[in-house]
Amino acid sequence: MSKLEDKILIIDDDIAIAESLRFALRKDYDLYFATNISEALKIYQENEISAIVLDLKLGNENGMDLYHKLREINPDVVVIIITAFGTIESSVEAIKSGIFQYLTKPIDLDDLRFSLSRAVEMDKLHRRVKHAEDDKLRNLENHGIIAYSSKMKTIMQTVNKIKDIDSIILITGESGTGKSLIASVIHRIGHRKEHPFYSINCAAIPQNLLESELFGYKRGAFTGANADKKGFFQLADKGTLFLDEIGDLDLNLQGKLLQVIQEKKVTPLGAEVSEDVDVRIITATNKDLKKLIEEGKFREDLYYRLNVINILIPSLRERKEDIPYLAKYFIDKYSLLLDKPIHRVNEDFFEAILGMELRGNIRELENIIERAIALNESDELRAIDIGGITKNKDKPYGIKGELIPVFIGENLDEIEKKVIIATLKKMDNNQARAAEILGITDRTIRNKLKKYNL
Ligand SMILES: Nc1ncnc2c1ncn2[C@@H]1O[C@H](COP(=O)(O)OP(=O)(O)OP(=O)(O)O)[C@@H](O)[C@H]1O
Ligand SMILES: [Mg+2]
């Protein structure tokens, strides 16, 4: 087996030694030689060197200096050090600092060969690990989905299972939970990924325009139709059509959509013949379609057609474990995007975020973090940056000596409401101060006041 693909860099200023190593190793390795630090660094950076043989004494330069520079470039660099016999102590230091092996002069070639073969193995191992990590990171970046809670992990498993099948998918969940993101990821990792993905927000386009947007029209179909126009169904041919906010589609269009799904054909406005369509359909809504059916606003037959595979994305309140990871992800994202390095995140920042209601789910969290970083003037994020307050740990029981009656078994919302009213009154209706005493954020007290119609 030829090992010539493994590149070894030998750094020694003694030409005689370099030559004898060349002679001894040239059949086994692809060899590179350097006699000083700058040469060595250049070669190392330009070639995929597996292992390095380094003489500690390089004329008036110090091999250890080079070693430290190499470590900066690659913390996993595999280096075999050659030292003269007298410098054993420094060799021990060298091993401690991460050097793979040291050999004393005169060099025993068998020892060197043995060390080199192990060094090259070590390098391969490093590269494999690195590669796996890169893959992981790349996946995360590509998909941009943070999923640490068991609920989200289950969803990601489902996504993986269904990515290559064409059954219609209905994604439901509150606003800002990631429905649109999941839809686009299903397309991006699925079997139609080489073909187009179109996302149409059914609520954003006036219904009278939506019909021609979806199905297209023929020239002359109506005044102003000067040329044929393709609809999204035709544009997304072989790809994916994401019908977002499907609950907002009007009844007339619901009927037409049902027909397209059943027949796999569309008829553009003004056309006499229908055209075959081959699209994967994903839909999403934050509305309760069952309720819309009861109210006569959504066709039951369409609902059953769409709801073949349902992905219900839980609200952020139901998967608080994801919050710190999402926060971290958004902090990295926005410090990069806004070019504002954040070096420290105070614990109270996470506490404040975990204490928030986040009715707007991930979108709200993302916005809060973006704003906090945009307005931040230091390299640290603190609760105060998101309007949060640090709890006063010395004063755990609110206002000393003040009590309100609460019944055992009383409804918790009722109790909360009473406490908020009483505290507000005590604070002369100053919301910020009441929130501070209650250990909640301004935002939370506002939300609660709204919730209780106060
Ligand atoms: N698991 C996640 N990991 C990382 N980012 C996420 C995740 N879920 C959602 N996001 C981000 O949060 C924001 C809101 O997500 P998205 O637009 O997909 O929500 P939505 O459910 O479609 O909301 P709406 O109902 O308002 O359309 C987006 O910027 C999205 O990239
Ligand atoms: Mg959406």
Side-chain angles (χ1 to χ4, degrees), residues 151-168:
K151 287 195 167 100
M152 279 309 287
K153 282 193 179 133
T154 310
I155 286 183
M156 293 317 290
Q157 280 165 3
T158 309
V159 164
N160 269 309
K161 269 190 229 151
I162 54 147
K163 66 184 182 2
D164 296 328
I165 57 172
D166 278 335
S167 311
I168 299 184

Side-chain angles (χ1 to χ4, degrees), residues 282-446:
I282 304 179
T283 66
T285 181
N286 55 23
K287 297 211 164 138
D288 183 349
L289 290 182
K290 288 237 172 85
K291 198 159 151 248
L292 291 182
I293 292 172
E294 276 167 27
E295 293 168 359
K297 291 182 185 145
F298 204 84
R299 290 179 66 131
E300 191 167 17
D301 45 4
L302 178 62
Y303 172 74
Y304 287 112
R305 278 286 174 168
L306 299 181
N307 193 23
V308 179
I309 295 168
N310 178 223
I311 298 180
L312 168 60
I313 308 188
S315 72
L316 207 45
R317 298 181 300 289
E318 297 163 85
R319 47 174 166 124
K320 287 202 157 195
E321 314 93 279
D322 283 336
I323 293 180
Y325 295 99
L326 284 163
K328 175 83 180 54
Y329 175 77
F330 292 134
I331 291 168
D332 290 347
K333 177 174 167 184
Y334 286 102
S335 66
L336 202 72
L337 283 179
L338 303 173
D339 196 19
K340 286 222 176 167
I342 298 294
H343 293 126
R344 273 184 307 152
V345 183
N346 196 306
E347 218 178 290
D348 69 3
F349 181 84
F350 285 111
E351 264 179 45
I353 279 181
L354 283 165
M356 287 180 159
E357 288 230 39
L358 298 174
R359 290 266 152 201
N361 292 296
I362 301 179
R363 180 173 302 110
E364 182 178 356
L365 179 64
E366 182 168 3
N367 291 344
I368 288 171
I369 290 178
E370 179 180 1
R371 197 170 50 229
I373 293 179
L375 300 179
N376 195 342
E377 283 173 358
S378 70
D379 63 349
E380 183 182 10
L381 280 181
R382 291 158 307 154
I384 197 101
D385 295 319
I386 49 174
I389 46 115
T390 326
K391 284 184 191 156
N392 189 344
K393 299 209 164 74
D394 297 331
K395 196 164 59 68
Y397 294 126
I399 302 158
K400 228 179 167 174
E402 297 275 355
L403 299 173
I404 54 166
V406 172
F407 297 107
I408 294 173
E410 190 169 356
N411 183 297
L412 282 179
D413 279 354
E414 241 355 271
I415 298 175
E416 192 178 54
K417 190 169 151 185
K418 276 194 210 169
V419 174
I420 291 174
I421 292 175
T423 311
L424 263 176
K425 212 161 152 197
K426 195 77 203 166
M427 293 294 121
D428 298 315
N429 285 326
N430 183 327
Q431 277 185 27
R433 285 178 63 206
E436 187 175 351
I437 290 243
L438 290 166
I440 57 179
T441 62
D442 284 359
R443 176 190 296 271
T444 308
I445 199 166
R446 273 202 306 281

